[in-house]
Amino acid sequence: MMDVRIFKSAQEAAQAGANLIEEVVLGKDQPILGLATGSTPIPMYQALIQKYEAGTLSFKNVRTFNLDEYIGLDGAHDQSYRYFMNTQLFDHLDIDHANTHVPSGIGADHAADAKAYDEAIEAAGGTDIQVLGIGNNGHIGFNEPAEVFIKGTHIVDLTDSTIDANTRFFASRDEVPRQAITMGMGAIMSARKVLLLAFGPAKAQAIRDTLCGDIDPRVPASILQLHPNVVVLLDEDAASLL
Ligand code: F6R
């Protein structure tokens, strides 16, 4: 079931998202969070940091699995998703960094790393809540529009438009990674709850296609229609075509 909630501002939606994550963290001895990078979850992560600083929420027993990472960037690179997670969230919490997992983009055998990542998620019992942003083209994680849904963690070639879009974060286009490693639809769909966030007018069409269109791998997020427990938090701009 899709529980769609529309807020006046991204800030209010982010607060609601943080409250849902708090519920999960308080409700279990060893909560497992699936996390995302990108601009969308930043205000929600800030709201979680505030809860921690206020002393109402501890992440001591929390384990996390992130969606994706660039191939070729180590965690010290300021555009890596590991660096993003440390600086935007983990460094500000009482979480044990050893319990935070981001797929490795620098191993010698990416296929083996991908397999090990899925096995680690499975061994943890799957995620209690998976946070997702959405691309303008409907992608979730780095699951780009394609002819089929891919189940496992896998390596993807970035599209030219994604490379172009990311060039602004690097010294030159040549430095932009050409590939990424991403969680597949299997781990995302096995989350006990999915929290999809989208803010701003650029996401409106993807949100409409995801919620109201056919289930189609050319709109990767549309697979969420098959998930039994999805909460969608939108601002009015992202909801404007519903
Ligand atoms: C991030 C991720 C991506 C982003 C999406 C939206 O880990 O997997 O799917 O969620 O590209 O990015 P923003 O939030 O920057 O608009």
Side-chain angles (χ1 to χ4, degrees):
M1 199 204 68
M2 298 267 213
D3 171 0
V4 182
R5 307 182 195 171
I6 301 167
F7 295 83
K8 285 247 170 310
S9 68
Q11 199 54 47
E12 284 171 53
Q15 194 61 51
N19 292 344
L20 288 172
I21 291 177
E22 177 177 43
E23 232 171 70
V24 169
V25 171
L26 293 176
K28 284 200 82 173
D29 290 340
Q30 287 208 310
I32 315 285
L33 308 181
L35 298 177
T37 64
S39 55
T40 306
I42 290 177
M44 183 174 75
Y45 293 159
Q46 286 169 350
L48 288 173
I49 292 166
Q50 278 167 12
K51 288 176 187 289
Y52 165 67
E53 287 175 346
T56 55
L57 190 59
S58 167
F59 293 79
K60 262 202 166 67
N61 298 320
V62 170
R63 284 179 286 166
T64 67
F65 290 92
N66 260 80
L67 287 168
D68 43 17
E69 179 59 284
Y70 287 118
I71 294 297
L73 299 192
D74 69 34
H77 192 290
D78 67 4
Q79 291 306 321
S80 74
Y81 287 174
R82 161 54 76 181
Y83 184 91
F84 175 101
M85 289 309 301
N86 285 350
T87 53
Q88 295 292 334
L89 187 63
F90 301 146
D91 289 350
H92 308 283
L93 304 176
D94 60 347
I95 196 165
D96 180 349
H97 279 55
N99 290 335
T100 68
H101 305 277
V102 178
S104 169
I106 53 164
D109 184 343
H110 299 314
D113 289 343
K115 188 162 173 278
Y117 201 67
D118 283 332
E119 287 168 356
I121 296 170
E122 236 183 280
T127 57
D128 293 305
I129 187 165
Q130 174 65 58
V131 175
L132 296 175
I134 185 170
N136 298 350
N137 62 3
H139 75 217
I140 48 178
F142 266 123
N143 294 276
E144 295 280 13
E147 292 308 308
V148 292
F149 293 113
I150 298 178
K151 184 177 180 193
T153 295
H154 59 282
I155 308 297
V156 285
D157 294 327
L158 302 186
T159 60
D160 277 339
S161 75
T162 299
I163 294 167
D164 288 342
N166 291 349
T167 296
R168 68 186 192 280
F169 299 118
F170 293 83
S172 73
R173 195 178 192 279
D174 284 347
E175 287 182 31
V176 183
R178 279 0 192 205
Q179 291 184 307
I181 180 169
T182 183
M183 212 186 259
M185 295 305 192
I188 293 172
M189 291 296 285
S190 68
R192 281 175 279 290
K193 188 184 201 73
V194 171
L195 183 55
L196 175 64
L197 309 171
F199 307 138
K203 303 291 171 70
Q205 187 64 48
I207 285 297
R208 181 191 164 91
D209 293 344
T210 294
L211 303 185
C212 312
D214 293 335
I215 298 168
D216 185 327
R218 286 168 294 185
V219 182
S222 64
I223 198 172
L224 297 174
Q225 290 179 32
L226 297 173
H227 192 285
N229 186 5
V230 183
V231 178
V232 186
L233 304 181
L234 307 173
D235 67 0
E236 289 180 345
D237 285 336
S240 62
L241 296 179
L242 294 179

